[in-house]
Amino acid sequence: MRFYEAVRLALSMIRVQKLKSFFTLLGVMIGVMFLIAVVSIVEGMGHYMQDDLMGKLIPINTFNLRQTPNVTLGGVDRATWQEWQRRPRIKEEDIAPVLAALSPGTRAAVVSQDNLMVESRYVPKPKQVDASNVTAPWFDIKKMGVTEGRVFTAQEDALGAPVVVIGTDVASYFFPSVDPIGRELKVGHIPYTVIGIAESQGSVFGISLDKFIVAPYNSPLKRLTNRHGVIDGIMIQSSDETTMLANEDAVRSVMRTRRKLLPQQKDNFVLETSDQDLEFWNKIKGYLVVAGIALPAIGLVVGAIVIMNIMLVAVAERTAEIGVRKALGARRQDILAQFLVESATLSTLGSAIGVVCGIGISAIIASVSPLPTHVALWSIVVSVMLGAGVGIAAGVYPASRAALLDPITALRAE
Amino acid sequence: MNNEIEEAPLSTTAERRAVTQVAGVAPGQEWAIVARGLKREYDMGGEIVRALRGVDIAVRRNEYVAIMGPSGSGKSTLMNLIGCLDTPDAGEYWLNGTLVSDMSDDQLAHVRNKEIGFVFQTFNLLPRSTALQNVELPLVYAGVGSEERRARAKEALERVELGERMDHRPNELSGGQRQRVAIARALVNRPAILLADEPTGNLDSRTSEDIMRVFSGLSDHGQTVIMVTHEPDIAAHARRVIVLRDGVVETDERKETFHERLTAFGSSVVG
């Protein structure tokens, strides 16, 4: 008997017994639904982490030379933390040798940062913001543009001009009713002129990324963000991944030489990449995916047991039919195929409904909660294959019982 | 019991020869069925029941045979063997020139599909399928494509005068109509023998007559028909009646037509 005949037969069986089929499918359906939903959450988080979060903090093909990682998604154990604290800071005199070691065409920006109190004459209360002094390429590396005004130039940086580019939150807080461009913002009693408002950087986990001010590296802010001669790091953006690896090696060897590290000693600085920061997330994601598969697996096992039961009942109910089919020339494999296809069709249908429900749930989660979701194509493929697999696995025993029925005995059953 | 009973009486010389020859050569195309020394035993909870104790039967093509006998005579067992639903413990069974008594289950399934058309007492139609789908079923297992299947199933239904009720399900048909559907299903794959097991057992006498007319018509058109029944007036429609008792053939009587006698004579002279 041809495959599609068997499928058609199975579908007609399901159509005749709608309610029974529905309950049979429930286990598989729920299992698959949760699989799709959980995977969509995990994938959504992953995309969010990778594209939005890390993309904003550390741009593509970029690494930061720092004392310790800027972003620690995973929490750090005590020993590591203590080791980090003992490390020497990155110094201003490190800048020139590091920049000299980079491949041509590489962008680099020096960064020094702290949270500082800022005040303006338009608002009575000062407020703490994320204040950085950076060299001019920083804007290019971060691909940060302005909605109003302009960013500062290399000349302004060289001169140490007291100008700032501010985030939208800073703009709206300190200049509630006036245009901030050309106005003054005081940091540590030194006035800075606002020259630009940066494009909104969005938020991470509900925390705004727009509460910042950026001044030229050599501006007076330098004295507030770090001790004299000390910087937080150098942000280095290569043209492509290969160059980035070469640059990493170059910077590492420069830094190790400068710090006179012996070959067996570990780096006492960090070349922080987004991949490194995402490592922890990937670990969590692994667990989540396993959980996202293990929980629905329970549903699928229950579904399989239900399907096996229903198929055993079906074989018992249709013993006479099996007898007739055998009398009319059905071979064992025909009967086996008929029942296997029936249970596989049943559970594939269940998983298809589950996929639809799962996508629905994921859409609902995305719209009512801050959790980003992203339905992964592979989870749909896996679900449908799991559905068929569960059906076949659950159908093997009932179907082989049907196939092995003696035609005479089967015919006598009524 | 008496061993001599196992020497079955055969009515014609040609049959006797056919049966005795099967040990050596395959019977020719003239014979639909040749069975020799069929034995079948069942183990019923430790007690061995000897359902068939050496049955010899030869049925020519185009014959219309009724197999009778009281319950326990072995007629159901014989029918199962003839229908290739079961295999004998001993003896040989040639169906349409092929030795089938040693075949595997799947080979038997193939033979049932190609050579045997079953008509059951309880009709045994698939309840959820239409008449047409029921008739198509043997063709499905024969691997016939859907269009040809449909055409042949229609044709078979028209032969039993059910052309207008093709799309009805069994529960929308009368008993007689259901049995006609079953007959159409039995015929659709052009089997060597039509094997009916108490075909009128669930029908009233008028409908029974109706079905019997269908059988006679098929026989007149050259279809070999073997019918198992315990009703003498149904068996009377057949042209030959084999009576079983205690697992052996008790009598084998035929109402030969002049034509049949002539061909029997001819073959005995030539053969």
mmCIF file of all heavy atoms in Angstrom, chain A residues 1-2 5 8 13 16-17 321 324-332 334 407-408 411 414, chain B residues 80 85-86 105-106 109 112-113 118 120 122 124 126 128 137-138 140-141 143-145 149 185:
data_model
loop_
_atom_site.group_PDB
_atom_site.id
_atom_site.type_symbol
_atom_site.label_atom_id
_atom_site.label_comp_id
_atom_site.label_asym_id
_atom_site.label_seq_id
_atom_site.Cartn_x
_atom_site.Cartn_y
_atom_site.Cartn_z
ATOM 1 N N MET A 1 0.843 -1.185 0.000
ATOM 2 C CA MET A 1 0.000 0.000 0.000
ATOM 3 C C MET A 1 0.883 1.242 0.000
ATOM 4 O O MET A 1 1.878 1.291 0.690
ATOM 5 C CB MET A 1 -0.888 -0.001 1.235
ATOM 6 C CG MET A 1 -1.921 1.094 1.174
ATOM 7 S SD MET A 1 -3.337 0.820 2.245
ATOM 8 C CE MET A 1 -2.608 0.487 3.802
ATOM 9 N N ARG A 2 0.493 2.192 -0.776
ATOM 10 C CA ARG A 2 1.339 3.371 -0.879
ATOM 11 C C ARG A 2 1.227 4.247 0.350
ATOM 12 O O ARG A 2 0.234 4.234 1.060
ATOM 13 C CB ARG A 2 0.951 4.173 -2.113
ATOM 14 C CG ARG A 2 1.501 3.480 -3.343
ATOM 15 C CD ARG A 2 0.988 4.131 -4.592
ATOM 16 N NE ARG A 2 1.164 3.174 -5.665
ATOM 17 C CZ ARG A 2 0.371 3.102 -6.715
ATOM 18 N NH1 ARG A 2 -0.629 3.919 -6.830
ATOM 19 N NH2 ARG A 2 0.586 2.214 -7.639
ATOM 20 N N GLU A 5 -1.686 6.725 0.648
ATOM 21 C CA GLU A 5 -2.950 6.027 0.919
ATOM 22 C C GLU A 5 -3.088 5.841 2.421
ATOM 23 O O GLU A 5 -4.139 6.064 3.019
ATOM 24 C CB GLU A 5 -2.939 4.632 0.285
ATOM 25 C CG GLU A 5 -2.713 4.607 -1.203
ATOM 26 C CD GLU A 5 -4.004 4.761 -1.963
ATOM 27 O OE1 GLU A 5 -5.052 4.898 -1.321
ATOM 28 O OE2 GLU A 5 -3.944 4.766 -3.203
ATOM 29 N N ARG A 8 -3.809 9.069 4.097
ATOM 30 C CA ARG A 8 -5.194 9.479 3.877
ATOM 31 C C ARG A 8 -6.130 8.668 4.769
ATOM 32 O O ARG A 8 -7.043 9.204 5.394
ATOM 33 C CB ARG A 8 -5.549 9.271 2.408
ATOM 34 C CG ARG A 8 -6.575 10.255 1.919
ATOM 35 C CD ARG A 8 -6.821 10.113 0.447
ATOM 36 N NE ARG A 8 -7.173 8.731 0.104
ATOM 37 C CZ ARG A 8 -7.275 8.291 -1.138
ATOM 38 N NH1 ARG A 8 -7.033 9.098 -2.144
ATOM 39 N NH2 ARG A 8 -7.598 7.051 -1.381
ATOM 40 N N MET A 13 -9.484 8.375 9.620
ATOM 41 C CA MET A 13 -9.727 7.789 10.942
ATOM 42 C C MET A 13 -9.807 8.898 11.992
ATOM 43 O O MET A 13 -10.674 8.891 12.857
ATOM 44 C CB MET A 13 -8.523 6.913 11.294
ATOM 45 C CG MET A 13 -8.672 5.419 11.251
ATOM 46 S SD MET A 13 -10.055 4.684 10.494
ATOM 47 C CE MET A 13 -10.664 3.807 11.878
ATOM 48 N N VAL A 16 -12.984 10.950 11.740
ATOM 49 C CA VAL A 16 -14.168 10.274 12.254
ATOM 50 C C VAL A 16 -14.218 10.405 13.775
ATOM 51 O O VAL A 16 -15.279 10.567 14.356
ATOM 52 C CB VAL A 16 -14.162 8.792 11.818
ATOM 53 C CG1 VAL A 16 -15.259 8.035 12.528
ATOM 54 C CG2 VAL A 16 -14.347 8.694 10.319
ATOM 55 N N GLN A 17 -13.046 10.346 14.424
ATOM 56 C CA GLN A 17 -13.031 10.366 15.891
ATOM 57 C C GLN A 17 -12.345 11.634 16.385
ATOM 58 O O GLN A 17 -11.292 11.561 16.997
ATOM 59 C CB GLN A 17 -12.294 9.145 16.419
ATOM 60 C CG GLN A 17 -12.666 7.886 15.685
ATOM 61 C CD GLN A 17 -11.981 6.673 16.250
ATOM 62 O OE1 GLN A 17 -11.082 6.775 17.066
ATOM 63 N NE2 GLN A 17 -12.405 5.521 15.809
ATOM 64 N N GLU A 321 -11.621 -5.737 11.236
ATOM 65 C CA GLU A 321 -11.164 -5.013 10.034
ATOM 66 C C GLU A 321 -9.799 -5.531 9.594
ATOM 67 O O GLU A 321 -9.546 -5.720 8.403
ATOM 68 C CB GLU A 321 -11.081 -3.512 10.349
ATOM 69 C CG GLU A 321 -10.540 -2.704 9.189
ATOM 70 C CD GLU A 321 -10.094 -1.299 9.593
ATOM 71 O OE1 GLU A 321 -10.798 -0.658 10.398
ATOM 72 O OE2 GLU A 321 -9.038 -0.863 9.092
ATOM 73 N N VAL A 324 -10.279 -8.740 7.834
ATOM 74 C CA VAL A 324 -10.766 -8.538 6.462
ATOM 75 C C VAL A 324 -9.625 -8.101 5.558
ATOM 76 O O VAL A 324 -9.431 -8.631 4.464
ATOM 77 C CB VAL A 324 -11.888 -7.476 6.430
ATOM 78 C CG1 VAL A 324 -12.281 -7.165 5.003
ATOM 79 C CG2 VAL A 324 -13.080 -7.955 7.219
ATOM 80 N N ARG A 325 -8.841 -7.127 6.048
ATOM 81 C CA ARG A 325 -7.738 -6.633 5.227
ATOM 82 C C ARG A 325 -6.758 -7.747 4.905
ATOM 83 O O ARG A 325 -6.272 -7.853 3.786
ATOM 84 C CB ARG A 325 -7.018 -5.493 5.952
ATOM 85 C CG ARG A 325 -7.822 -4.200 5.975
ATOM 86 C CD ARG A 325 -7.099 -3.107 6.732
ATOM 87 N NE ARG A 325 -7.903 -1.892 6.800
ATOM 88 C CZ ARG A 325 -7.947 -0.977 5.837
ATOM 89 N NH1 ARG A 325 -7.224 -1.123 4.748
ATOM 90 N NH2 ARG A 325 -8.709 0.088 5.964
ATOM 91 N N LYS A 326 -6.491 -8.586 5.911
ATOM 92 C CA LYS A 326 -5.568 -9.695 5.666
ATOM 93 C C LYS A 326 -6.169 -10.672 4.665
ATOM 94 O O LYS A 326 -5.481 -11.167 3.774
ATOM 95 C CB LYS A 326 -5.241 -10.403 6.976
ATOM 96 C CG LYS A 326 -4.361 -9.564 7.872
ATOM 97 C CD LYS A 326 -3.639 -10.416 8.891
ATOM 98 C CE LYS A 326 -2.330 -9.759 9.275
ATOM 99 N NZ LYS A 326 -1.437 -10.671 9.993
ATOM 100 N N ALA A 327 -7.465 -10.964 4.814
ATOM 101 C CA ALA A 327 -8.120 -11.882 3.887
ATOM 102 C C ALA A 327 -8.056 -11.329 2.471
ATOM 103 O O ALA A 327 -7.919 -12.074 1.509
ATOM 104 C CB ALA A 327 -9.564 -12.107 4.310
ATOM 105 N N LEU A 328 -8.125 -10.006 2.347
ATOM 106 C CA LEU A 328 -8.134 -9.401 1.011
ATOM 107 C C LEU A 328 -6.724 -9.204 0.467
ATOM 108 O O LEU A 328 -6.549 -8.658 -0.616
ATOM 109 C CB LEU A 328 -8.846 -8.050 1.047
ATOM 110 C CG LEU A 328 -10.322 -8.119 1.456
ATOM 111 C CD1 LEU A 328 -10.934 -6.732 1.408
ATOM 112 C CD2 LEU A 328 -11.093 -9.061 0.561
ATOM 113 N N GLY A 329 -5.729 -9.625 1.219
ATOM 114 C CA GLY A 329 -4.381 -9.612 0.660
ATOM 115 C C GLY A 329 -3.401 -8.661 1.315
ATOM 116 O O GLY A 329 -2.304 -8.470 0.792
ATOM 117 N N ALA A 330 -3.765 -8.080 2.459
ATOM 118 C CA ALA A 330 -2.797 -7.210 3.136
ATOM 119 C C ALA A 330 -1.708 -8.074 3.755
ATOM 120 O O ALA A 330 -1.996 -9.075 4.416
ATOM 121 C CB ALA A 330 -3.497 -6.403 4.217
ATOM 122 N N ARG A 331 -0.460 -7.709 3.492
ATOM 123 C CA ARG A 331 0.642 -8.427 4.120
ATOM 124 C C ARG A 331 0.877 -7.847 5.507
ATOM 125 O O ARG A 331 0.341 -6.817 5.859
ATOM 126 C CB ARG A 331 1.912 -8.280 3.269
ATOM 127 C CG ARG A 331 1.848 -9.025 1.950
ATOM 128 C CD ARG A 331 2.858 -8.462 0.999
ATOM 129 N NE ARG A 331 2.589 -7.029 0.799
ATOM 130 C CZ ARG A 331 3.402 -6.218 0.154
ATOM 131 N NH1 ARG A 331 4.531 -6.649 -0.317
ATOM 132 N NH2 ARG A 331 3.079 -4.955 -0.002
ATOM 133 N N ARG A 332 1.738 -8.519 6.259
ATOM 134 C CA ARG A 332 2.037 -8.019 7.607
ATOM 135 C C ARG A 332 2.526 -6.585 7.550
ATOM 136 O O ARG A 332 2.124 -5.742 8.336
ATOM 137 C CB ARG A 332 3.113 -8.881 8.257
ATOM 138 C CG ARG A 332 2.545 -10.170 8.767
ATOM 139 C CD ARG A 332 3.612 -10.994 9.408
ATOM 140 N NE ARG A 332 3.014 -12.215 9.918
ATOM 141 C CZ ARG A 332 3.712 -13.220 10.401
ATOM 142 N NH1 ARG A 332 5.026 -13.157 10.434
ATOM 143 N NH2 ARG A 332 3.100 -14.289 10.848
ATOM 144 N N ASP A 334 1.903 -4.344 5.416
ATOM 145 C CA ASP A 334 0.840 -3.389 5.093
ATOM 146 C C ASP A 334 0.098 -2.977 6.355
ATOM 147 O O ASP A 334 -0.197 -1.800 6.567
ATOM 148 C CB ASP A 334 -0.160 -4.016 4.105
ATOM 149 C CG ASP A 334 0.470 -4.257 2.746
ATOM 150 O OD1 ASP A 334 1.257 -3.403 2.304
ATOM 151 O OD2 ASP A 334 0.184 -5.304 2.132
ATOM 152 N N PRO A 407 -5.122 -14.194 10.683
ATOM 153 C CA PRO A 407 -6.298 -13.700 9.952
ATOM 154 C C PRO A 407 -7.594 -14.415 10.334
ATOM 155 O O PRO A 407 -8.648 -13.779 10.397
ATOM 156 C CB PRO A 407 -5.942 -13.946 8.476
ATOM 157 C CG PRO A 407 -4.729 -14.811 8.476
ATOM 158 C CD PRO A 407 -4.044 -14.602 9.781
ATOM 159 N N ILE A 408 -7.505 -15.717 10.603
ATOM 160 C CA ILE A 408 -8.733 -16.456 10.921
ATOM 161 C C ILE A 408 -9.310 -15.971 12.244
ATOM 162 O O ILE A 408 -10.506 -15.657 12.356
ATOM 163 C CB ILE A 408 -8.444 -17.976 10.982
ATOM 164 C CG1 ILE A 408 -7.929 -18.463 9.626
ATOM 165 C CG2 ILE A 408 -9.689 -18.739 11.379
ATOM 166 C CD1 ILE A 408 -7.346 -19.840 9.663
ATOM 167 N N LEU A 411 -10.677 -12.473 11.838
ATOM 168 C CA LEU A 411 -11.948 -12.423 11.120
ATOM 169 C C LEU A 411 -13.103 -12.812 12.027
ATOM 170 O O LEU A 411 -14.207 -12.315 11.887
ATOM 171 C CB LEU A 411 -11.907 -13.404 9.938
ATOM 172 C CG LEU A 411 -11.377 -12.852 8.628
ATOM 173 C CD1 LEU A 411 -11.205 -13.957 7.628
ATOM 174 C CD2 LEU A 411 -12.317 -11.788 8.091
ATOM 175 N N GLU A 414 -15.708 -9.887 16.449
ATOM 176 C CA GLU A 414 -16.757 -8.944 16.011
ATOM 177 C C GLU A 414 -16.924 -7.863 17.029
ATOM 178 O O GLU A 414 -17.025 -8.115 18.194
ATOM 179 C CB GLU A 414 -18.083 -9.681 15.778
ATOM 180 C CG GLU A 414 -18.296 -10.113 14.334
ATOM 181 C CD GLU A 414 -18.022 -9.025 13.299
ATOM 182 O OE1 GLU A 414 -18.344 -7.840 13.547
ATOM 183 O OE2 GLU A 414 -17.464 -9.343 12.231
ATOM 184 N N ASN B 80 -10.845 -22.421 5.282
ATOM 185 C CA ASN B 80 -9.663 -21.614 5.598
ATOM 186 C C ASN B 80 -8.451 -22.057 4.784
ATOM 187 O O ASN B 80 -7.657 -21.229 4.348
ATOM 188 C CB ASN B 80 -9.331 -21.712 7.092
ATOM 189 C CG ASN B 80 -10.358 -20.982 7.944
ATOM 190 O OD1 ASN B 80 -11.063 -20.103 7.450
ATOM 191 N ND2 ASN B 80 -10.456 -21.352 9.207
ATOM 192 N N LEU B 85 -6.019 -18.932 4.108
ATOM 193 C CA LEU B 85 -5.887 -18.223 5.374
ATOM 194 C C LEU B 85 -5.079 -19.064 6.353
ATOM 195 O O LEU B 85 -4.654 -18.583 7.397
ATOM 196 C CB LEU B 85 -7.271 -17.941 5.954
ATOM 197 C CG LEU B 85 -8.109 -16.905 5.210
ATOM 198 C CD1 LEU B 85 -9.565 -16.981 5.642
ATOM 199 C CD2 LEU B 85 -7.558 -15.503 5.435
ATOM 200 N N ASP B 86 -4.903 -20.328 6.008
ATOM 201 C CA ASP B 86 -4.257 -21.266 6.913
ATOM 202 C C ASP B 86 -3.500 -22.264 6.034
ATOM 203 O O ASP B 86 -3.761 -22.371 4.836
ATOM 204 C CB ASP B 86 -5.351 -21.981 7.729
ATOM 205 C CG ASP B 86 -4.786 -22.683 8.946
ATOM 206 O OD1 ASP B 86 -3.576 -22.513 9.229
ATOM 207 O OD2 ASP B 86 -5.564 -23.395 9.614
ATOM 208 N N ASP B 105 3.558 -16.633 5.117
ATOM 209 C CA ASP B 105 2.390 -15.789 5.361
ATOM 210 C C ASP B 105 2.223 -14.693 4.314
ATOM 211 O O ASP B 105 1.122 -14.443 3.834
ATOM 212 C CB ASP B 105 2.492 -15.132 6.751
ATOM 213 C CG ASP B 105 2.077 -16.102 7.840
ATOM 214 O OD1 ASP B 105 1.810 -17.277 7.506
ATOM 215 O OD2 ASP B 105 2.044 -15.679 9.009
ATOM 216 N N ASP B 106 3.340 -14.047 3.983
ATOM 217 C CA ASP B 106 3.238 -12.943 3.025
ATOM 218 C C ASP B 106 2.940 -13.438 1.619
ATOM 219 O O ASP B 106 2.213 -12.792 0.868
ATOM 220 C CB ASP B 106 4.520 -12.100 3.047
ATOM 221 C CG ASP B 106 4.535 -11.146 4.235
ATOM 222 O OD1 ASP B 106 3.502 -11.062 4.930
ATOM 223 O OD2 ASP B 106 5.573 -10.492 4.466
ATOM 224 N N ALA B 109 -0.637 -14.086 1.558
ATOM 225 C CA ALA B 109 -1.381 -12.822 1.433
ATOM 226 C C ALA B 109 -1.473 -12.421 -0.032
ATOM 227 O O ALA B 109 -2.519 -11.984 -0.512
ATOM 228 C CB ALA B 109 -0.695 -11.723 2.240
ATOM 229 N N ARG B 112 -3.961 -14.741 -1.728
ATOM 230 C CA ARG B 112 -5.336 -14.351 -1.365
ATOM 231 C C ARG B 112 -5.777 -13.135 -2.172
ATOM 232 O O ARG B 112 -6.900 -13.045 -2.640
ATOM 233 C CB ARG B 112 -5.417 -13.996 0.123
ATOM 234 C CG ARG B 112 -5.320 -15.166 1.046
ATOM 235 C CD ARG B 112 -5.849 -14.803 2.432
ATOM 236 N NE ARG B 112 -5.013 -13.828 3.120
ATOM 237 C CZ ARG B 112 -3.979 -14.143 3.892
ATOM 238 N NH1 ARG B 112 -3.639 -15.397 4.069
ATOM 239 N NH2 ARG B 112 -3.280 -13.202 4.503
ATOM 240 N N ASN B 113 -4.833 -12.210 -2.317
ATOM 241 C CA ASN B 113 -5.150 -10.986 -3.050
ATOM 242 C C ASN B 113 -5.459 -11.250 -4.511
ATOM 243 O O ASN B 113 -6.394 -10.699 -5.068
ATOM 244 C CB ASN B 113 -3.975 -10.014 -2.900
ATOM 245 C CG ASN B 113 -4.258 -8.667 -3.509
ATOM 246 O OD1 ASN B 113 -3.639 -8.283 -4.474
ATOM 247 N ND2 ASN B 113 -5.224 -7.956 -2.940
ATOM 248 N N PHE B 118 -13.167 -13.426 -1.318
ATOM 249 C CA PHE B 118 -13.930 -13.896 -0.153
ATOM 250 C C PHE B 118 -15.288 -13.216 -0.059
ATOM 251 O O PHE B 118 -15.408 -12.007 -0.238
ATOM 252 C CB PHE B 118 -13.183 -13.565 1.138
ATOM 253 C CG PHE B 118 -12.013 -14.454 1.412
ATOM 254 C CD1 PHE B 118 -10.725 -14.052 1.083
ATOM 255 C CD2 PHE B 118 -12.194 -15.699 2.004
ATOM 256 C CE1 PHE B 118 -9.644 -14.864 1.348
ATOM 257 C CE2 PHE B 118 -11.106 -16.515 2.271
ATOM 258 C CZ PHE B 118 -9.832 -16.102 1.943
ATOM 259 N N PHE B 120 -18.168 -13.252 2.981
ATOM 260 C CA PHE B 120 -18.377 -13.760 4.339
ATOM 261 C C PHE B 120 -19.846 -13.705 4.727
ATOM 262 O O PHE B 120 -20.621 -12.907 4.198
ATOM 263 C CB PHE B 120 -17.579 -12.928 5.342
ATOM 264 C CG PHE B 120 -16.108 -12.893 5.072
ATOM 265 C CD1 PHE B 120 -15.537 -11.819 4.408
ATOM 266 C CD2 PHE B 120 -15.286 -13.928 5.473
ATOM 267 C CE1 PHE B 120 -14.181 -11.771 4.162
ATOM 268 C CE2 PHE B 120 -13.920 -13.887 5.229
ATOM 269 C CZ PHE B 120 -13.370 -12.814 4.565
ATOM 270 N N THR B 122 -20.969 -12.516 7.494
ATOM 271 C CA THR B 122 -21.275 -11.217 8.112
ATOM 272 C C THR B 122 -20.825 -10.049 7.232
ATOM 273 O O THR B 122 -20.598 -8.952 7.722
ATOM 274 C CB THR B 122 -20.597 -11.123 9.486
ATOM 275 O OG1 THR B 122 -19.227 -11.511 9.329
ATOM 276 C CG2 THR B 122 -21.253 -12.036 10.485
ATOM 277 N N ASN B 124 -18.589 -8.406 6.401
ATOM 278 C CA ASN B 124 -17.254 -7.885 6.726
ATOM 279 C C ASN B 124 -16.808 -6.727 5.838
ATOM 280 O O ASN B 124 -15.699 -6.710 5.321
ATOM 281 C CB ASN B 124 -16.216 -9.002 6.680
ATOM 282 C CG ASN B 124 -16.321 -9.893 7.897
ATOM 283 O OD1 ASN B 124 -17.256 -9.751 8.687
ATOM 284 N ND2 ASN B 124 -15.372 -10.783 8.065
ATOM 285 N N LEU B 126 -15.825 -2.710 5.584
ATOM 286 C CA LEU B 126 -15.288 -1.720 6.515
ATOM 287 C C LEU B 126 -16.365 -0.671 6.742
ATOM 288 O O LEU B 126 -16.831 -0.030 5.803
ATOM 289 C CB LEU B 126 -14.027 -1.059 5.955
ATOM 290 C CG LEU B 126 -12.888 -2.022 5.635
ATOM 291 C CD1 LEU B 126 -11.638 -1.235 5.271
ATOM 292 C CD2 LEU B 126 -12.596 -2.951 6.786
ATOM 293 N N ARG B 128 -16.589 2.310 8.004
ATOM 294 C CA ARG B 128 -16.414 3.749 7.781
ATOM 295 C C ARG B 128 -16.132 4.101 6.323
ATOM 296 O O ARG B 128 -15.958 5.254 5.981
ATOM 297 C CB ARG B 128 -15.297 4.291 8.663
ATOM 298 C CG ARG B 128 -15.587 4.173 10.142
ATOM 299 C CD ARG B 128 -14.448 4.739 10.953
ATOM 300 N NE ARG B 128 -14.522 4.317 12.348
ATOM 301 C CZ ARG B 128 -13.950 3.225 12.829
ATOM 302 N NH1 ARG B 128 -13.253 2.438 12.032
ATOM 303 N NH2 ARG B 128 -14.075 2.907 14.099
ATOM 304 N N LEU B 137 -10.579 -1.953 -2.007
ATOM 305 C CA LEU B 137 -9.570 -2.422 -1.059
ATOM 306 C C LEU B 137 -8.613 -3.495 -1.590
ATOM 307 O O LEU B 137 -7.388 -3.345 -1.459
ATOM 308 C CB LEU B 137 -10.275 -2.888 0.216
ATOM 309 C CG LEU B 137 -9.458 -2.877 1.495
ATOM 310 C CD1 LEU B 137 -8.828 -1.523 1.731
ATOM 311 C CD2 LEU B 137 -10.353 -3.253 2.676
ATOM 312 N N PRO B 138 -9.127 -4.569 -2.213
ATOM 313 C CA PRO B 138 -8.160 -5.574 -2.720
ATOM 314 C C PRO B 138 -7.203 -4.977 -3.739
ATOM 315 O O PRO B 138 -6.038 -5.377 -3.809
ATOM 316 C CB PRO B 138 -9.061 -6.625 -3.374
ATOM 317 C CG PRO B 138 -10.397 -6.425 -2.780
ATOM 318 C CD PRO B 138 -10.506 -4.966 -2.476
ATOM 319 N N VAL B 140 -6.089 -1.940 -3.712
ATOM 320 C CA VAL B 140 -5.093 -1.154 -2.974
ATOM 321 C C VAL B 140 -3.911 -2.059 -2.639
ATOM 322 O O VAL B 140 -2.757 -1.713 -2.861
ATOM 323 C CB VAL B 140 -5.705 -0.570 -1.688
ATOM 324 C CG1 VAL B 140 -4.615 0.021 -0.800
ATOM 325 C CG2 VAL B 140 -6.734 0.496 -2.019
ATOM 326 N N TYR B 141 -4.234 -3.266 -2.114
ATOM 327 C CA TYR B 141 -3.155 -4.173 -1.721
ATOM 328 C C TYR B 141 -2.480 -4.797 -2.931
ATOM 329 O O TYR B 141 -1.380 -5.322 -2.822
ATOM 330 C CB TYR B 141 -3.683 -5.233 -0.761
ATOM 331 C CG TYR B 141 -4.070 -4.628 0.554
ATOM 332 C CD1 TYR B 141 -5.373 -4.682 1.027
ATOM 333 C CD2 TYR B 141 -3.111 -3.959 1.308
ATOM 334 C CE1 TYR B 141 -5.714 -4.096 2.229
ATOM 335 C CE2 TYR B 141 -3.440 -3.366 2.514
ATOM 336 C CZ TYR B 141 -4.743 -3.442 2.971
ATOM 337 O OH TYR B 141 -5.079 -2.851 4.160
ATOM 338 N N GLY B 143 -1.673 -2.964 -5.355
ATOM 339 C CA GLY B 143 -0.819 -1.894 -5.859
ATOM 340 C C GLY B 143 -1.338 -1.245 -7.130
ATOM 341 O O GLY B 143 -0.568 -0.704 -7.912
ATOM 342 N N VAL B 144 -2.659 -1.306 -7.339
ATOM 343 C CA VAL B 144 -3.233 -0.696 -8.540
ATOM 344 C C VAL B 144 -3.398 0.810 -8.302
ATOM 345 O O VAL B 144 -3.783 1.233 -7.210
ATOM 346 C CB VAL B 144 -4.599 -1.343 -8.848
ATOM 347 C CG1 VAL B 144 -5.265 -0.671 -10.036
ATOM 348 C CG2 VAL B 144 -4.433 -2.831 -9.102
ATOM 349 N N GLY B 145 -3.092 1.597 -9.307
ATOM 350 C CA GLY B 145 -3.190 3.054 -9.182
ATOM 351 C C GLY B 145 -4.628 3.506 -8.964
ATOM 352 O O GLY B 145 -5.570 2.807 -9.332
ATOM 353 N N ARG B 149 -8.151 1.802 -10.167
ATOM 354 C CA ARG B 149 -8.832 1.173 -9.051
ATOM 355 C C ARG B 149 -10.298 1.580 -9.031
ATOM 356 O O ARG B 149 -11.194 0.755 -8.914
ATOM 357 C CB ARG B 149 -8.154 1.669 -7.783
ATOM 358 C CG ARG B 149 -8.025 0.655 -6.716
ATOM 359 C CD ARG B 149 -6.960 1.067 -5.769
ATOM 360 N NE ARG B 149 -7.280 2.328 -5.121
ATOM 361 C CZ ARG B 149 -6.369 3.096 -4.556
ATOM 362 N NH1 ARG B 149 -5.092 2.739 -4.579
ATOM 363 N NH2 ARG B 149 -6.714 4.223 -3.986
ATOM 364 N N ARG B 185 -16.526 -6.741 -4.180
ATOM 365 C CA ARG B 185 -15.176 -6.665 -3.646
ATOM 366 C C ARG B 185 -14.411 -7.959 -3.916
ATOM 367 O O ARG B 185 -13.226 -7.939 -4.240
ATOM 368 C CB ARG B 185 -15.241 -6.408 -2.133
ATOM 369 C CG ARG B 185 -13.886 -6.262 -1.482
ATOM 370 C CD ARG B 185 -13.999 -5.942 -0.012
ATOM 371 N NE ARG B 185 -14.538 -7.080 0.730
ATOM 372 C CZ ARG B 185 -14.800 -7.055 2.036
ATOM 373 N NH1 ARG B 185 -14.589 -5.955 2.728
ATOM 374 N NH2 ARG B 185 -15.298 -8.112 2.657
#
